[in-house]
Amino acid sequence: MKAIVVTDQAAGTAGMKLVERPEPQAAINDVVVQVHASGFTWDELTWPSTWTDRLGRDRTPVIPGQELAGVVTALGYGTTGLAVGQRVFGLSDSYRGGTLAEYVAVEARNLAPLPGDVDFTVGASVAMPGLTAWQGLFEHGRLQAGQSVLVHGAAGAVGSMVTQLAREFGAYVIGTGRAADRQKALDFGAQEFVDLDNDVLEDVGGVDLVFDVIGGDIGKRSAGLIRAGGTLVTIAGPTEARPADGLTIDFVLVSDRAQLGEIVQRVRDGRLRTNIGSIATLDDAVAAFNPTERISGKTIIRVRPVSNTRPSMHAAGRRCPDRPATRCGPWH
């Protein structure tokens, strides 16, 4: 199968290569998915989990990518809840990655059904940002209707999801970013916008919740904006910033099938828009991840042609380890 691989952490995305790799096999509780679309998190190649397994052992060459949408072609031993031929979307484990490829093996619990009226590119673009926004706002931030939320990077893939979900929940949303992002942030639902290069962040006054994707000095200054009992939620890594009378929560998302279902339902009924900056083929993925111009929004790799929505026939009848052939039969 075709896949993007990396071997040199220092080279970053410039070190990506398109190569041929063996197709993955389904382990216990896995499914093999024929990938139709894949996403990639911009700083993924800086994560320790991208380069080692859970015991710290090197696992290069690595196929990166965690976000995917596609069709199940095989089930591993003990796998329940999904079926061969089913459309799915979700995330792979960060210690496994592998979605920038034609096939990937993923724990079934990390995937959710993708409705037939939702395009694969949309499914691949919504899982990571959607879960991050959902968990940051509702699980960690404990957002309440009527509260005010300051969303850093409101025009980005995560920030735009945070903005839309917070607005739907009845919050007052203030977005931040570069001057060029103002209109996009407002289009996604921000009621005010702060240009971090030219406006004074502290002029915002007090807010109940800050959702920080930037960190550094912006994160520290944001802590001073938190009202009593409020929360600074961050995905930018551990921080020393602490509100005087509130909480700072640094979190890493976990995959959740029920939450993925809530998110994709909002996409279907128009309450939630994805933020796709560009779409490229797998053959053009290396160039797409090394753009010559700034792209606002998520880059999605369309692994299979739009017109071909079925698994290829070479996947039909594949046997899974220790399972009867009936569990891995052809797509009907």
Side-chain angles (χ1 to χ4, degrees):
M1 68 173 185
K2 289 182 179 180
I4 299 293
V5 300
V6 289
T7 57
D8 183 358
Q9 184 172 357
T13 54
M16 288 179 162
K17 295 180 180 179
L18 181 64
V19 301
E20 286 288 332
R21 295 284 292 168
E23 291 185 18
Q25 301 297 312
I28 294 174
N29 297 323
D30 275 357
V31 295
V32 173
V33 178
Q34 185 183 55
V35 181
H36 284 242
S38 173
F40 175 76
T41 303
W42 67 273
D43 62 345
E44 188 176 322
L45 299 187
T46 68
W47 303 347
S49 59
T50 297
W51 302 96
T52 66
D53 63 18
R54 283 186 165 80
L55 296 178
R57 298 173 299 197
D58 179 84
R59 61 183 186 91
T60 55
V62 173
I63 302 174
Q66 276 193 266
E67 302 150 272
L68 77 151
V71 176
V72 176
T73 60
L75 306 179
Y77 182 84
T79 299
T80 60
L82 298 174
V84 171
Q86 187 169 11
R87 300 170 96 250
V88 293
F89 78 112
L91 306 174
S92 72
D93 188 299
S94 64
Y95 285 92
R96 296 177 70 176
T99 68
L100 289 175
E102 292 182 304
Y103 292 87
V104 63
V106 184
E107 280 192 85
R109 64 178 181 174
N110 290 339
L111 302 174
L114 181 69
D117 57 355
V118 178
D119 188 80
F120 288 113
T121 55
V122 173
S125 69
V126 78
M128 179 83 77
L131 286 174
T132 302
W134 187 282
Q135 292 170 18
L137 285 174
F138 305 131
E139 292 187 358
H140 303 295
R142 301 186 180 278
L143 181 66
Q144 301 294 317
Q147 290 185 328
S148 55
V149 181
L150 180 67
V151 182
H152 289 307
V158 172
S160 59
M161 291 284 173
V162 175
T163 297
Q164 292 175 86
L165 289 173
R167 278 295 304 272
E168 180 194 354
F169 202 67
Y172 184 85
V173 179
I174 305 165
T176 80
R178 299 180 180 180
D181 296 328
R182 178 184 299 273
Q183 191 56 52
K184 188 172 184 179
L186 296 175
D187 289 345
F188 274 112
Q191 288 143 296
E192 294 182 35
F193 183 82
V194 177
D195 174 0
L196 292 177
D197 291 328
N198 299 296
D199 297 334
V200 179
L201 178 61
E202 286 73 15
D203 287 348
V204 167
V207 296
D208 298 297
L209 175 64
V210 171
F211 200 116
D212 180 29
V213 301
I214 300 174
D217 182 62
I218 292 297
K220 292 179 181 178
R221 291 165 62 190
S222 297
L225 303 177
I226 300 294
R227 291 176 180 149
T231 307
L232 170 62
V233 174
T234 179
I235 59 170
T239 175
E240 297 178 0
R242 293 287 185 274
D245 190 12
L247 298 174
T248 293
I249 299 176
D250 166 39
F251 80 100
V252 176
L253 72 91
V254 294
S255 192
D256 187 293
R257 183 178 291 175
Q259 291 175 5
L260 286 170
E262 291 279 0
I263 291 162
V264 79
Q265 182 57 48
R266 283 165 169 76
V267 172
R268 295 181 74 192
D269 61 26
R271 286 179 288 165
L272 191 62
R273 290 189 294 126
T274 57
N275 188 356
I276 298 175
S278 66
I279 299 175
T281 66
L282 190 60
D283 288 341
D284 296 328
V286 174
F289 292 133
N290 293 276
T292 56
E293 299 179 358
R294 179 174 178 257
I295 297 174
S296 179
K298 200 156 193 68
T299 296
I300 296 298
I301 303 304
R302 186 88 200 199
V303 179
R304 293 188 60 78
V306 176
S307 60
N308 188 351
T309 59
R310 293 189 177 194
S312 62
M313 291 309 296
H314 81 273
R318 178 191 300 165
R319 294 184 66 90
C320 293
D322 305 315
R323 292 300 287 170
T326 54
R327 292 300 300 275
C328 300
W331 188 90
H332 296 290

